Amino acid sequence: NAGVTQTPKFRVLKTGQSMTLLCAQDMNHEYMYWYRQDPGMGLRLIHYSVGEGTTAKGEVPDGYNVSRLKKQNFLLGLESAAPSQTSVYFCASARRGPDTGELFFGEGSRLTVL
Amino acid sequence: GESVGLHLPTLSVQEGDNSIINCAYSNSASDYFIWYKQESGKGPQFIIDIRSNMDKRQGQRVTVLLNKTVKHLSLQIAATQPGDSAVYFCAENTNAGKSTFGDGTTLTVKP
């Protein structure tokens, strides 16, 4: 049982380049999330989805877009990468809302923007 | 190494001692709280949870205390072991579909 899988695990971009992070979960969870984690800080919510075909903005959505075309996948896109987007990105999923149970996290994707 | 009431970014304890990690939450409407453990290079993992209608919950070697009056949460780890070294986060949850995480406390266990 793989749980939550993120690809790629590492990526280096130049300013202005675009890329997509892929998150896949095999637990049939309804809710999925993208967080970013910066040194010495907690996790900040970028975007989330409460079901297939739906997305919503989190705390720090600017510069990112997301899509949830399939229930098991949640994609995070950077259209024009900036050095401020250098971070570790975590995807998470939950069976229903987070008030009903824990979030299951992937191993993280480390992004460096030069 | 105990810190009652204050959130500290780092905590260092001797192996075998008890650890107390504190967290202040902000939203009075939060009704479900979770403690996560994050080891180096990994994603956070669930440790223990508590609902707002409780003030204490115990697990294996861990206890979570909730004080809704002052919006404070604590995680107690009994007989701390080297494998407990990690960053610990509290998360507050509402039925709006989002979890909000605290800044985290780095626990270091000295042999």
Side-chain angles (χ1 to χ4, degrees), chain B residues 3-110:
Chain B
S3 57
V4 180
L6 294 176
H7 168 257
L8 299 176
T10 61
L11 178 64
S12 183
V13 301
Q14 288 292 140
E15 182 177 356
D17 285 353
N18 296 333
S19 303
I20 298 179
I21 300 171
N22 296 301
C23 175
Y25 64 93
S26 57
N27 188 348
S28 300
S30 296
D31 53 11
Y32 180 54
F33 304 88
I34 301 177
W35 279 100
Y36 290 90
K37 174 185 180 183
Q38 185 179 25
E39 296 177 333
S40 181
K42 296 187 176 182
Q45 287 189 301
F46 172 92
I47 302 173
I48 191 168
D49 58 0
I50 189 167
R51 296 210 168 270
S52 58
N53 59 354
M54 306 171 67
D55 54 21
K56 180 179 180 179
R57 189 164 190 217
Q58 288 184 292
Q60 186 177 14
R61 284 202 306 120
V62 294
T63 300
V64 55
L65 300 178
L66 174 62
N67 185 330
K68 294 181 289 293
T69 301
V70 294
K71 292 190 287 187
H72 180 265
L73 201 65
S74 69
L75 176 70
Q76 300 178 4
I77 305 174
T80 314
Q81 302 169 358
D84 295 326
S85 292
V87 180
Y88 291 81
F89 294 99
C90 66
E92 54 180 304
N93 305 280
T94 68
N95 60 7
K98 296 182 288 186
S99 285
T100 302
F101 286 79
D103 290 339
T105 295
T106 300
L107 175 65
T108 302
V109 181
K110 296 177 288 186

Side-chain angles (χ1 to χ4, degrees), chain A residues 11-24:
Chain A
R11 186 73 187 270
V12 178
L13 289 178
K14 294 180 179 178
T15 297
Q17 287 185 318
S18 63
M19 74 158 295
T20 300
L21 297 177
L22 171 63
C23 177

Side-chain angles (χ1 to χ4, degrees), chain A residues 9 23 33 55 71 104:
Chain A
K9 289 184 170 45
C23 177
Y33 305 84
T55 62
K71 185 177 183 179
F104 293 81

Side-chain angles (χ1 to χ4, degrees), chain A residues 46-106:
Chain A
I46 305 171
H47 286 281
Y48 65 105
S49 168
V50 301
E52 180 180 322
T54 72
T55 62
K57 293 181 180 180
E59 181 186 358
V60 289
D62 293 342
Y64 305 94
N65 57 76
V66 288
S67 64
R68 183 101 182 268
L69 298 180
K70 294 183 179 180
K71 185 177 183 179
Q72 64 267 34
N73 295 337
F74 195 30
L75 279 63
L76 178 71
L78 285 72
E79 291 185 346
S80 179
S84 61
Q85 294 178 303
T86 294
S87 189
V88 181
Y89 292 85
F90 286 97
C91 177
S93 70
R95 187 166 56 92
R96 296 197 301 271
D99 60 318
T100 60
E102 71 200 83
L103 269 61
F104 293 81
F105 284 87

